[in-house]
Amino acid sequence: MLLDAKKNKYAVPQFNINNLEWTKYILEECQEHGVPVILGVSEGAARYMGGYNIISSMVNSMIKDLKITIPVCLHLDHGSYDACFEAIDAGFSSVMIDASRKELDKNIEITKKIVEYAHPKNVSVEAEIGHIGGTEDNITSDMFYAKVDECERLYKETSIDALAPALGSVHGPYKGEPKLDFKTMKEINDVLPIPLVLHGGSGIPEVQIKEAISCGISKINVNTDLQIVWSKAVREFLNDNSVVYDPRKVIGSGESAIKDKIDELISIFGTEKVK
Ligand code: 13P
């Protein structure tokens, strides 16, 4: 999926899922456009939905029952060491091992162990270097920028399939204009043959997204954008319909907001170039 995106200069979206409805809306909309999609699952979202096996079964059943024919990747987002093993055993097709808070040597050691377990099972591995700021799953982090030589070492010593170098993006809403380090992004792309991943994809202006793709970004993670549009739609629906109590109507009132946002992002990411 990502190698084609890297070659043809577009990005595959990773949309994080929160429940059955979100998963369904994302799959339906990406199928409608004929574009590949990565369903991202954070550890918090996995706990919320009941566990990796539940999610894996749900996604596989949905692909079958909804007759989804686009390429779908089920990916663990920011996994800890133990969570990576659990997700792989449950049938996830890809995991991100996030050992980015450790010293480089330790990050390499941990990442390598995950690659050794994942690759024979045909599961791809993303790793992170530097540290993405902001708040995700109620965990707030400071930002540290990735360095080119460290990215090169991490790749060469682990054989990861994709790398998320932290270069100024944050999880959650940006305070002011995002300041991505495109120069370093390009330098990393020049020395690494693998696709690069941009985390914190919500709220980044279109010109910066396009520049990031031209600097080697082939996967863009989006969570907050869909959460914001869904919550706004549901809030308005509830304000306008004070007697409604059917959960299908409440949750479903955010469906078109999610699908419209996906349309917009797919177009900015150039994902339809896959055709
Ligand atoms: P946002 O919530 O800022 O879109 O970030 C998502 C993300 O990077 C998931 O790993």
Side-chain angles (χ1 to χ4, degrees), residues 81 84-85 88 95 97 108-125 157-161:
Y81 184 77
C84 284
F85 287 96
I88 293 169
V95 292
I97 171 70
I108 290 172
E109 186 192 318
I110 294 171
T111 302
K112 207 169 154 192
K113 285 197 184 130
I114 299 300
V115 171
E116 281 165 5
Y117 190 70
H119 279 181
K121 297 181 161 57
N122 236 345
V123 172
S124 52
V125 180
E157 295 182 31
T158 63
S159 304
I160 45 168
D161 304 282

Side-chain angles (χ1 to χ4, degrees), residues 11-85:
V12 178
Q14 172 185 312
F15 294 120
N16 282 45
I17 58 172
N18 293 289
N19 57 23
L20 179 143
E21 288 83 352
W22 284 53
T23 313
K24 182 168 174 278
Y25 304 155
I26 293 165
L27 287 176
E28 284 175 345
E29 199 54 24
C30 291
Q31 174 75 29
E32 179 81 23
H33 286 270
V35 297
V37 68
I38 298 163
L39 301 174
V41 180
S42 67
E43 288 192 46
R47 276 192 299 276
Y48 175 78
M49 287 184 268
Y52 300 102
N53 288 299
I54 293 176
I55 296 166
S56 187
S57 309
M58 174 183 76
V59 169
N60 286 330
S61 303
M62 227 178 242
I63 289 172
K64 210 167 155 194
D65 287 353
L66 299 176
K67 300 186 175 40
I68 300 295
T69 53
I70 50 164
V72 176
C73 166
L74 180 58
H75 175 79
L76 174 66
D77 190 26
H78 292 282
S80 62
Y81 184 77
D82 291 344
C84 284
F85 287 96

Side-chain angles (χ1 to χ4, degrees), residues 6 9 145-149 151-152 163 165-167 180-198 208 210-218:
K6 183 175 164 77
K9 297 254 177 253
Y145 281 72
K147 297 191 182 75
V148 182
D149 57 331
C151 293
E152 213 176 351
L163 177 69
L167 292 167
L180 303 184
D181 181 353
F182 294 114
K183 186 172 163 286
T184 310
M185 204 180 276
K186 192 171 178 321
E187 284 168 12
I188 296 169
N189 188 44
D190 287 345
V191 295
L192 294 196
I194 52 168
L196 303 181
V197 181
L198 179 64
Q208 292 201 34
K210 290 193 164 143
E211 171 121 33
I213 292 170
S214 78
C215 293
I217 293 292
S218 312

Side-chain angles (χ1 to χ4, degrees), residues 230-251:
W230 179 83
S231 315
K232 182 170 180 284
V234 172
R235 202 171 288 121
E236 279 168 11
F237 175 78
L238 288 172
N239 284 340
D240 294 345
N241 298 274
S242 57
V243 291
V244 73
Y245 55 86
D246 182 340
R248 293 168 297 185
K249 290 191 176 139
V250 177
I251 298 173

Side-chain angles (χ1 to χ4, degrees), residues 14 16 77-78 136 170-172 199-202 221-225:
Q14 172 185 312
N16 282 45
D77 190 26
H78 292 282
E136 190 173 57
V170 302
H171 291 127
H199 281 248
S202 302
N221 293 6
V222 174
N223 189 11
T224 304
D225 263 352

